Amino acid sequence: MFSFAAPWVFLLLPLPAAVYFLAPPRREKTASVRIPFFRRVAQAAGVEPKSGSVIRKRARLQTASIITIWVLLVLALARPERLGEPIVIEKSARDVVLALDISGSMDQRDFQTESGAPMQRLDAVKGVLKQFIAERDGDRMALIIFGTRAFIQAPFTEDLNSLNGFLDQTQVGMAGPNTALGDAIGLGIRTFESSEVDQRLMIVLSDGADTSSRMTPVNASAIAAEKNVVIYTIGVGDPNASGEDRVDLQALQDIADRTGGEYFFADDTTALAQTYARIDELNPRTVETQSYRPRQSLSHIPLLLALMAILISTAGFHFSHRKKGVS
């Protein structure tokens, strides 16, 4: 399909005709010789003298060449271009922050595989998280890890393979043995400051009670609600344990309720996978669709044709003058 980027340029096509018919003709004075016996010379030559100017006329070929060159130049100025097939780009309208607890209690082997074998909590979470990340094709995701302190393991990225790589490097205790749940939520809120989308989702997974945060989880969740950040919390610890090993289910539920999210509890890999599937159902992926058609400029073609027409007409003009001079 062809189109013109500046079709209004075609309004210039009749400009030479308007100048030719409306503008006054160019006058040129030349020197002449006056002789007293002009009439006798005219009679001897058999010519009747007349007054007036001499109007030079162009040959038809020359006129056709001028018109062709002008049309080609206007055509080039209109910028003809070839349009390719439409290309549709889907851009995610959702950003997701994963906040993962890697405190010392995540080393417990109280998870069970499908075969019933014991499994480390963090390893079980990693396996389910990788599958969840793989299904987020098109979303931007960030990974936050927290223990005694909260850190950004991976900023927002659409390269989900690299996110899985950062997840593989995460080990129990690398952020400290305690649980800074409130600080992790606060860091997630700051991470969303660079986000330009409306749908902001944070998934917080923890297996212990908050013990080392500078900001309480309640205050952090209130700020998240003001920033339109929806938080889904997942408890994976033992609610009957004591001390820091006891997961604070009530705190996780309060965090989710304050931000319009939901709370889940998972005690094995199957329940954990069902939890992430449920989160996906509650927050279906939204996309912004953009389409464009690649354009290939063709302006060089009429320009080359105009140049060839100029060269041919110039060569023809010199050739005709030389022929007249010889004859």
Side-chain angles (χ1 to χ4, degrees), residues 19-50:
V19 173
Y20 181 81
F21 290 107
L22 300 179
R26 178 175 177 271
R27 298 180 181 275
E28 184 177 307
K29 294 182 178 181
T30 58
S32 61
V33 179
R34 298 185 63 182
I35 54 178
F37 44 89
F38 176 73
R39 291 186 179 277
R40 294 180 182 179
V41 172
Q43 290 176 359
V47 177
E48 183 179 354
K50 295 181 179 179

Side-chain angles (χ1 to χ4, degrees), residues 21 31 98 139 148 155 159 165 208 213 225 229 252 275-277 323-324:
F21 290 107
L98 300 174
D139 284 348
T148 305
D159 185 0
S213 289
V229 177
L252 294 177
T275 296
Y276 281 109
K323 190 175 180 181
K324 289 180 179 178

Side-chain angles (χ1 to χ4, degrees), residues 23-311:
R26 178 175 177 271
R27 298 180 181 275
E28 184 177 307
K29 294 182 178 181
T30 58
S32 61
V33 179
R34 298 185 63 182
I35 54 178
F37 44 89
F38 176 73
R39 291 186 179 277
R40 294 180 182 179
V41 172
Q43 290 176 359
V47 177
E48 183 179 354
K50 295 181 179 179
S51 60
S53 60
V54 177
I55 300 176
R56 295 180 179 178
K57 294 183 178 181
R58 294 188 181 94
R60 292 182 179 179
L61 181 60
Q62 190 178 9
T63 303
S65 299
I66 293 174
I67 294 175
T68 301
I69 293 169
W70 175 251
V71 171
L72 290 173
L73 290 177
V74 171
L75 188 63
L77 289 174
R79 290 159 53 193
E81 53 192 13
R82 180 188 289 122
L83 298 180
E85 293 297 324
I87 297 177
V88 179
I89 298 176
E90 289 187 351
K91 183 180 179 182
S92 176
R94 178 176 66 183
D95 285 344
V96 181
V97 169
L98 300 174
L100 177 60
D101 186 351
I102 58 170
S103 59
S105 56
M106 287 292 285
D107 195 33
Q108 296 291 329
R109 296 182 175 271
D110 52 2
F111 264 63
Q112 291 184 349
T113 62
E114 295 180 356
S115 62
M119 190 177 189
Q120 185 195 53
R121 288 179 184 175
L122 183 59
D123 287 340
V125 170
K126 282 182 179 180
V128 177
L129 261 182
K130 286 182 179 179
Q131 182 178 358
F132 178 78
I133 292 172
E135 295 173 354
R136 305 279 74 72
D137 185 27
D139 284 348
R140 288 202 323 161
M141 302 189 73
L143 176 63
I144 291 176
I145 57 174
F146 64 97
T148 305
R149 294 288 182 267
F151 301 95
I152 297 178
Q153 182 76 340
F156 276 124
T157 179
E158 294 181 2
D159 185 0
L160 302 185
N161 289 329
S162 67
L163 197 66
N164 280 327
F166 284 112
L167 191 62
D168 287 334
Q169 299 172 9
T170 303
Q171 302 295 329
V172 172
M174 64 186 296
N178 301 324
T179 304
L181 179 58
D183 289 351
I185 296 174
L187 183 58
I189 295 171
R190 288 197 296 273
T191 304
F192 278 117
E193 289 179 356
S194 62
S195 175
E196 298 179 353
V197 301
D198 295 329
Q199 190 177 15
R200 302 174 178 182
L201 176 64
M202 187 187 305
I203 301 174
V204 179
L205 187 144
S206 178
D207 73 337
D210 186 276
T211 56
S212 62
S213 289
R214 290 168 292 182
M215 177 187 294
T216 64
V218 174
N219 291 339
S221 59
I223 297 174
E226 294 176 359
K227 301 290 186 180
N228 297 322
V229 177
V230 179
I231 302 178
Y232 286 82
T233 56
I234 305 173
V236 296
D238 185 359
N240 298 318
S242 60
E244 294 183 1
D245 293 336
R246 181 186 68 85
V247 60
D248 192 347
L249 301 182
Q250 187 59 48
L252 294 177
Q253 186 165 2
D254 290 343
I255 292 170
D257 291 342
R258 283 176 177 270
T259 61
E262 286 198 19
Y263 153 77
F264 302 92
F265 178 74
D267 56 357
D268 57 25
T269 55
T270 302
L272 190 60
Q274 292 174 349
T275 296
Y276 281 109
R278 178 60 178 162
I279 291 175
D280 202 31
E281 292 177 3
L282 295 173
N283 283 271
R285 180 184 172 220
T286 57
V287 296
E288 296 177 353
T289 302
Q290 298 178 345
S291 63
Y292 74 96
R293 305 186 72 163
R295 300 170 180 265
Q296 180 184 2
S297 177
L298 302 176
S299 298
H300 61 283
I301 296 178
L303 281 176
L304 288 175
L305 293 176
L307 179 60
M308 291 175 59
I310 292 173
L311 294 176

